[in-house]
Amino acid sequence: MKISVVVPCYNEESNIEPFYHEMKKLPEHLPLDTELEVIFVNDGSRDNTIDEVKKLAGIDPVIKYIDFSRNFGKEAAMLAGLEYAGGDYVVVIDADLQDPPSLIPKMYDIIRNGDYERVATRRVDRKGEPPIRSFFAKMFYKLINKISDVKIVDGARDFSMMSRKMVNSVLSLKEKNRFSKGLFEWAGYKTKWLEFKNHSRNAGSSKWSFWKLFSYSIEGIVSFSSYPLVLSAILGVFLCVISLFFIIVIIVRQLFFGDPVAGWASTVCVILFVSGLQHLMIGIIGSYLARIFIEIKDRPSYIVLETNMENGN
Ligand code: UDP
Ligand code: MG
């Protein structure tokens, strides 16, 4: 049996060596007949990540690499790894040792001996993370689980092991706007969740700025829910009901009190409010449209500059 370990890397030069060290410890905890391949996907790093990886690949045939022509994002890196992986089981794991590689033997044990197709992980705390980021993350999980059919576990990591069957199912989802946490859930299959405490990054800094995370969360919502589109209709009905009420009030007032024109300010407020809502709704429709546009252009999710692998599929 073969396990492929997919490692997306963006500016991780000082983590490659320690990560490799952890990988070297794995075989002694795995059954003897287990073959290992470690696929570093260099996502257009601006530092010496690729040199570090190639150095290791030169001395150890277990080390494979896929070097992108530029930074395509973690989603693209994971996709490339899954596409190239030849293993019967595939692990996705971060390069910064925030996901403990020591869990891999346990995952393998569960997936091989149980009837699970996936062993996934979630963090039980968010220690060491800025509070504002934790707050928005919590809000995001609440929101997406309310408005989407696909349930996403709070604190779920991308760190997981999947069977070949599940990997093939995930790869059959051809969308370009990829939100893997959702795709994995969408594919279904019985999943075992393991929990672990948050570790801080080994070296370097997080690649996710607040805005990058924000737009990633919008990605998740737009990809997995059409509820925001319905919102427009709901608000429309709501505003109609309110305006009907005011029309009646104004007619009655006119009939019984003969009120002259009054309330220029309130008129302007109403116009501003309603046109604000309209713009918001156009924006929501626009974000769906933009994604349709990207899908329809059908560009590849990534471009490979160099690799020492043959595409497994
Ligand atoms: N990563 C990537 N491409 C990117 C950003 C991140 O391949 O554009 C990789 C990064 O090298 C790391 C993993 O994705 O292995 C998780 O990134 P990071 O540690 O910055 O995220 P965090 O742990 O803060 O959520
Ligand atoms: Mg990290």
Side-chain angles (χ1 to χ4, degrees):
M1 287 289 177
K2 183 169 168 182
I3 304 180
S4 304
V5 180
V6 172
V7 198
C9 306
Y10 178 53
N11 298 347
E12 302 283 8
E13 60 179 0
S14 38
N15 286 324
I16 301 297
E17 181 86 45
F19 184 87
Y20 174 67
H21 221 76
E22 290 295 316
M23 287 294 115
K24 284 317 271 182
K25 291 186 200 156
L26 283 185
E28 61 183 283
H29 301 288
L30 291 168
L32 274 178
D33 63 340
T34 318
E35 200 188 325
L36 201 64
E37 98 182 326
V38 180
I39 309 170
F40 288 100
V41 185
N42 178 39
D43 183 16
S45 299
R46 269 180 275 251
D47 63 2
N48 295 321
T49 301
I50 191 64
D51 303 324
E52 290 291 316
V53 172
K54 280 183 177 168
K55 209 163 70 191
L56 295 175
I59 55 170
D60 190 343
V62 161
I63 303 299
K64 304 278 161 47
Y65 63 85
I66 304 168
D67 190 17
F68 282 0
S69 63
R70 65 169 170 84
N71 178 249
F72 283 92
K74 186 184 178 189
E75 285 291 341
M78 286 196 288
L79 176 66
L82 292 183
E83 282 181 344
Y84 276 71
D88 303 289
Y89 299 94
V90 181
V91 175
V92 176
I93 185 169
D94 286 1
D96 58 6
L97 295 175
Q98 275 192 304
D99 301 329
S102 54
L103 270 184
I104 292 175
K106 190 172 170 191
M107 291 169 139
Y108 189 50
D109 190 47
I110 292 171
I111 209 166
R112 249 179 18 136
N113 299 319
D115 55 347
Y116 296 101
E117 298 296 327
R118 174 166 78 129
V119 181
T121 57
R122 58 183 288 261
R123 290 188 297 183
V124 281
D125 62 353
R126 293 180 166 271
K127 243 188 2 234
E129 200 181 65
I132 180 104
R133 187 165 150 178
S134 305
F135 171 76
F136 276 102
K138 282 227 153 62
M139 296 274 291
F140 166 72
Y141 285 112
K142 268 212 179 106
L143 180 67
I144 196 160
N145 284 328
K146 259 217 174 83
I147 65 177
S148 161
D149 295 338
V150 169
K151 296 289 165 255
I152 296 173
V153 176
D154 186 0
R157 302 283 299 170
D158 291 321
F159 179 33
S160 57
M161 178 180 278
M162 287 173 271
S163 68
R164 172 54 45 194
K165 203 189 275 174
M166 171 147 182
V167 171
N168 287 345
S169 303
V170 170
L171 288 178
S172 72
L173 307 175
K174 294 291 181 203
E175 59 208 79
K176 305 287 170 202
N177 297 285
R178 294 186 84 82
F179 182 72
S180 285
K181 284 189 178 77
L183 295 178
F184 295 158
E185 290 302 321
W186 190 92
Y189 293 117
K190 210 168 158 198
T191 301
K192 168 88 180 166
W193 287 93
L194 300 180
E195 298 183 341
F196 68 89
K197 286 213 161 62
N198 197 24
H199 298 260
S200 0
R201 209 169 214 290
N202 181 53
S205 57
S206 174
K207 310 300 177 301
W208 296 89
S209 65
F210 181 78
W211 285 113
K212 229 172 150 182
L213 268 181
F214 183 76
S215 66
Y216 188 57
S217 62
I218 299 284
E219 185 73 67
I221 289 169
V222 173
S223 294
F224 283 92
S225 171
S226 46
Y227 180 80
L229 288 172
V230 179
L231 203 67
S232 166
I234 295 173
L235 271 173
V237 170
F238 179 67
L239 284 177
C240 281
V241 171
I242 291 185
S243 57
L244 206 70
F245 171 74
F246 276 108
I247 287 169
I248 293 168
V249 168
I250 286 165
I251 288 175
V252 169
R253 202 167 61 176
Q254 176 70 28
L255 286 179
F256 292 97
F257 305 103
D259 196 28
V261 180
W264 176 86
S266 57
T267 311
V268 171
C269 287
V270 169
I271 291 174
L272 283 179
F273 175 67
V274 173
S275 73
L277 277 184
Q278 282 173 339
H279 280 285
L280 176 67
M281 291 310 143
I282 291 173
I284 289 176
I285 295 170
S287 64
Y288 282 89
L289 187 70
R291 276 160 182 85
I292 297 173
F293 184 50
I294 290 171
E295 296 295 336
I296 216 157
K297 279 192 284 192
D298 201 24
R299 289 182 181 161
S301 297
Y302 56 86
I303 291 172
V304 176
L305 176 70
E306 199 193 340
T307 173
N308 63 349
M309 304 184 74
E310 292 192 14
N311 193 336
N313 297 282

